[in-house]
Amino acid sequence: MTMPIPGSERFASRPVDPDALAAELPDSLPVHSVTQEQIDGLDPLTYEVIRHRLWSVTEEMGEALQRMSGSPIVTDANDFDFAICDEVGQEVQVGLYNTMLVGAVDLAIYWTLRNRAANPGIREGDMFLCNDPWVGGGLHQSDVIVYQPVFHDGKLFAWTSAICHEPDLGGVGLGSFSPAAQDVFSEALPTPPVKVVRDFQLQDDVADLWIRRSRVPMLVSLDLRAKVGANTVGRKRLHEVIDQYGADTVKAVMKRMMADAESRLRDKLRSLPDGTWKATGYQDQSHEGDRGVHKITVAMIKRDDRLTFDFTGTDPQAGVINCTYAGMRGGVMLALLPMLAQDIPWSAGGLMRCFDLISEEGTINNATFPAAVGRGPIGPAWLTGTLVAECLSQMLDCSPDLGKSVQAACCGTWDTAVVAGLDQRGEAPVPFLNIMMEPMAGGYGARPELDGMDTGGLFCIPMGRIPDVEMTEFLYPLLTMWRREEPDSGGPGRQRGGVSASLAVALYGSQVPAGVVFASAGKAVAQNNGLAGGYPGNTGLEVLVRGSDVHGALAEGRIPQSVEDFGGDAEIAPCYAQSYLAPGEVLYMNWQGGGGYGDPLRRDPEAVAADVREFKVTAGAAADVYGVVLVDEAVDAAATAERRRELTAARGTRSGTSQPREGTVDLTTARRVDDNLVVSGSLVGCAHCGQLLADTTTDAQLALLRYDGPVTEAGPQIVSDPTDYVDDEVVFRQLSCPGCYTAVYSGVVPKTHVDHVADVTRFAGV
């Protein structure tokens, strides 16, 4: 663990009271605001018209950023976002792109108001640049925000911002990913807010200083100007709205938007049971050479109209798998926006008033300076969001009205692979650097009544896309051998998780080895968990095929269809590593699908048969995991019934079983908890057979059958061997009803994992 540096606490940003912040500002920075009477006096038609105008302003900012940026990260993958904030930085309107960034934008503005208002001052025509994840704005140094104050009649009226991930900002590792880093000094330099535009003019000295650090300065320079341009569009369009409707009316709408979002979310929370739900997840390996497992744990407490997320017990910061407070907050927003606010306008400043965060500093998702945080958004922040989503799903599953928002974990991480080398296709060799963006096509988690979307994208980037293969091959000396969906990669369940995909690429047009950086997780321990007995989706896998001869195979007219077809030796890549890709060798990536929902032995056999016909599930998995026997791709009903009886009975005879409790629950009067559990008074029982599992007044744990076995028993989606990555024992754990043997929980976890699903306290408010 890195030791804190004295004085670094000045750069730690936290939410503030907006009224108190406004009162702190110097007289040289007057702010525009309105009274509550002005907010309440808005007529509904004016409110809706201006609200939609503000939305269109942010959309136009996003289009401007995309049109001006030359980076595929922005133009193809949509890894960016933008916002309009009020005079003190509260987020009024945010975009539908990288939603994790929503948790960080306002923090940068709060810090700027507190630390830049007097010196160098905040004036009309200014724009600030920041990539300091302790300050906010982004979640790691590669997230670079450019934001501007917008003035009206000499008063600070609002802020606009544009932020995107940059392909490289220096540091030891390619693409600014430094797998061996033990502190931030091995990574890209974090830059606190600095004026990059004064009096509406880009400052060449600051711009030159900024792009000088990058391995791809032209792209970074273009992105900088694209963000300045997007903010310019935002300022001009905002002034047009003010000129048409008046500053007081527009500001009243902005305040009302946040108040309405807060009110609607609070109403929704009041309709749900009070209680405490818990979830724990893991990151395998913390840096190059590490073989440990590192834990993030959360308890979500819901009381009346408020949520509290308590991360006490999370492991200390380590290696590169850390994020700052902004990342933790961004992870919460990742889950809250689509699950609780999917039908509420995303005025994040109002939504964030409805929850509190409790966390120990110096931990994986609340790291103190100078921790390495290069993996921040795609490691600990992402896992934080996955765990919060698991807690929200457990709470929502109790509700007949809101249960449609329940979703098993989606693709649990971003598999990072950076390839950089020399492009020799032109008259003169030029360097290239490509962050492989194909893992954008992750699998979505299953829902109680729907399968997960196959290669549907990423939970945190609703508008995300994968790059065009032809464009990738045009830009970089890479030949794509295949990019395809992988059968069995979706988590088995009554509803199946969405499948993921794989990619195989080789150098083409470069006669010298290229450097490769890997940074990922979910290889040994699943990060895409199922719900209600559903199995996790596939574990990830990266392979470098050494000694292969792709060009020779193609010259012979033979197109390899598998890693084995390439010949050579398959070198399994660790989670974090720096390596190389030689001409003729192959980089293979297989990223994560979504988790399943419900026991796979309860899936409709015809749905399994359709999955086999559509290459989503193999026939072997159909028989061994789903218990469905097919003959000529059609369901053999009698053989399927017998196969399912065999698999169900096997759960009752394997090691780890215990005697069931005596008694049953009346299913006709019981209330649903999830696919498998019901509550009747103080009694918790099985929704299928009525078996009594606990009395909440006397028991601490559900009386379930617990089994720990080899991870391969989870199914063919477990493509990695945990011993290749970590020293901790990793098992396939299944908790089943002792009456009918229905799976209540299924996971690939460390043997020391605590089973929160069996914790009786989560039923107290149902």
Side-chain angles (χ1 to χ4, degrees), residues 621-638:
D624 296 337
V625 182
Y626 291 97
V628 174
V629 180
L630 304 175
V631 177
D632 296 329
E633 296 187 340
V635 175
D636 184 325

Side-chain angles (χ1 to χ4, degrees), residues 700-746:
Q701 296 281 307
L702 298 181
L704 298 170
L705 306 183
R706 170 175 157 170
Y707 172 71
D708 286 353
V711 297
T712 52
E713 292 193 18
Q717 76 275 17
I718 307 303
V719 296
S720 297
D721 183 347
T723 61
D724 286 335
Y725 304 94
V726 300
D727 293 327
D728 296 60
E729 184 178 1
V730 179
V731 299
F732 170 56
R733 177 166 298 169
Q734 193 161 64
L735 306 179
S736 304
C737 168
C740 62
Y741 307 129
T742 296
V744 174
Y745 169 82
S746 306

